[in-house]
Amino acid sequence: MDRRNKPSALAATPAAPPQARVDLVGDRVTAVLPTGESVEVLLTGATVLSWKGAVGGGAPEERLWLSESAVLDGSKAVRGGIPVVFPVFGQSPADVATSKLPQHGLARTSRWEFLGRSTSEADASSKTATSNGVQLDFGLTSSSADPKLKSLWPFDFALLYRVTLEPGSLVTSIVVTNNETDKAFDFQVLLHTYFRVGDITQVQVDGLGGASYSDKVDGFKVKTQAEGKVDITGETDRVYKPEAGAAQALTIVEGGRPKYGITRDNLSDAVVWNPWGDKTKSIGDFAPKDGYKNMLCVEPGSVSSWQTLEPGDAFEGAQSIKLL
Ligand code: TA6
């Protein structure tokens, strides 16, 4: 027999969807999604050291190449992962403000600050988490940069670097702000991504057909990419300037199958680099020496000219990498 006044069933709060786990241990930030995909960022240079991503329901696999001799104690730029290049790519002539900085500038060897996490926009705006992504924010300012290097390029700047991990994709974006009151500064910026590949002899870069490029291996001669796909058959070090700029999508193909889809925002150039065998012998922290067979750098950047940032202005650029 039913009891009178039986209490109604308690309204159960719908369980929150599983969230990403983020940890800061020492100088490393790690984030793991409920799907098992993960990213690890070293505070030196806000360098993404590892991205384990999954595609087609497979298990997460490492997608970035990191040298076995990479120096990770902050004393040197990391050989591998995604170094952040700012305010100069390469080195610059004596009459340029960045001329005293080391190759690739000061950001990748400075200690950045972890500013915290947020769920990716899709979560924040949706009632139920439509994607279980996570955003990790890192900051570097002229006052927190390496003081030796800061003195070599005395401009007041701020960098905000955002690493967004979603199932099957990684986005890294950078905002450069000029905090000077009355001085503009010129800069270059690039995301020096070391992609992991199975066999470089089976790898091509699609999307650069017809693009002009500066060939560092041939005295920086300016050439045109005749073939639709770039084959890597030896030391390759080229700054490509696609006609469509940042709107040109790029694909890293291996064995004829698309592996990584790269889209760029406001980073109109793309550097393609593989040191090949001989060159790795002269790169002390490149190991194993035949590791060139398993890596290819495709580096979105704004490097073929200088961006001029007026006081108080900001520049934003990003790369979005999808596993295909
Ligand atoms: O991005 C290609 C490149 O400029 C190459 O010329 C080579 O120098 C590579 O970067 C690595 O530079 P790093 O200073 O990290 O040894």
Side-chain angles (χ1 to χ4, degrees):
M1 180 179 80
D2 267 352
R3 262 182 321 121
R4 270 183 301 163
N5 302 329
K6 189 169 81 172
S8 59
L10 288 174
T13 311
Q19 294 295 309
R21 177 190 164 91
V22 176
D23 293 294
L24 169 60
V25 179
D27 59 358
R28 303 211 189 171
V29 177
T30 57
V32 184
L33 299 186
T35 54
E37 296 176 271
S38 66
V39 71
E40 181 179 24
V41 184
L42 181 70
L43 293 185
T44 299
T47 310
V48 179
L49 298 178
S50 167
W51 166 33
K52 291 189 171 75
V55 64
E61 290 174 22
E62 183 55 63
R63 304 298 175 168
L64 300 177
W65 185 87
L66 183 68
S67 167
E68 291 169 5
S69 305
V71 176
L72 304 178
D73 63 4
S75 63
K76 186 175 168 25
V78 175
R79 176 68 59 208
I82 309 176
V84 176
V85 172
F86 172 86
V88 60
F89 173 71
Q91 281 174 310
S92 31
D95 61 340
V96 173
T98 52
S99 62
K100 297 189 179 69
L101 287 174
Q103 159 146 302
H104 294 348
L106 52 75
R108 65 176 185 164
T109 50
S110 292
R111 185 181 173 86
W112 292 57
E113 184 190 351
F114 178 46
L115 304 176
R117 66 170 285 180
S118 59
T119 51
S120 50
E121 254 102 63
D123 286 351
S125 55
S126 66
K127 294 264 179 302
T128 54
T130 49
S131 86
N132 45 13
V134 66
Q135 285 174 343
L136 306 173
D137 288 348
F138 300 85
L140 181 72
T141 64
S142 24
S143 45
S144 63
D146 179 319
K148 288 190 315 299
L149 297 179
K150 163 79 189 104
S151 66
L152 302 174
W153 188 70
F155 291 96
D156 191 355
F157 70 87
L159 301 179
L160 171 65
Y161 189 54
R162 172 164 283 179
V163 178
T164 304
L165 174 68
E166 298 261 351
S169 74
L170 182 73
V171 177
T172 72
S173 65
I174 187 162
V175 179
V176 182
T177 306
N178 177 346
N179 286 341
E180 292 286 346
T181 48
D182 56 6
K183 268 194 297 184
F185 61 66
D186 291 346
F187 73 94
Q188 296 171 333
V189 65
L190 172 131
L191 303 172
H192 201 295
T193 311
Y194 285 74
F195 289 91
R196 179 178 290 273
V197 298
D199 174 357
I200 190 64
T201 65
Q202 301 301 313
V203 170
Q204 299 172 298
V205 181
D206 199 2
L208 294 170
S212 70
Y213 65 91
S214 163
D215 188 347
K216 184 171 175 181
V217 174
D218 187 9
F220 293 94
K221 273 193 201 126
V222 176
K223 305 176 179 178
T224 300
Q225 175 64 36
E227 304 75 20
K229 292 191 178 72
V230 178
D231 289 305
I232 313 294
T233 56
E235 182 184 356
T236 305
D237 196 347
R238 303 174 182 176
V239 179
Y240 280 92
K241 289 178 61 180
E243 191 77 27
Q248 176 64 54
L250 306 176
T251 307
I252 297 177
V253 178
E254 181 160 7
R257 294 186 58 239
K259 194 177 177 79
Y260 300 105
I262 305 163
T263 51
R264 293 163 294 136
D265 175 15
N266 212 18
L267 297 176
S268 55
D269 306 319
V271 176
V272 176
W273 178 58
N274 184 291
W276 215 252
D278 285 350
K279 191 71 177 258
T280 57
K281 293 180 187 118
S282 63
I283 304 176
D285 58 355
F286 196 108
K289 290 305 176 190
D290 66 349
Y292 70 92
K293 295 176 183 171
N294 305 111
M295 55 74 69
L296 177 66
C297 284
V298 176
E299 312 158 22
S302 176
V303 298
S304 55
S305 58
W306 294 89
Q307 291 288 340
T308 298
L309 210 47
E310 296 299 330
D313 279 0
F315 166 97
E316 180 164 4
Q319 67 175 341
S320 171
I321 308 164
K322 272 186 88 58
L323 298 177
L324 303 173

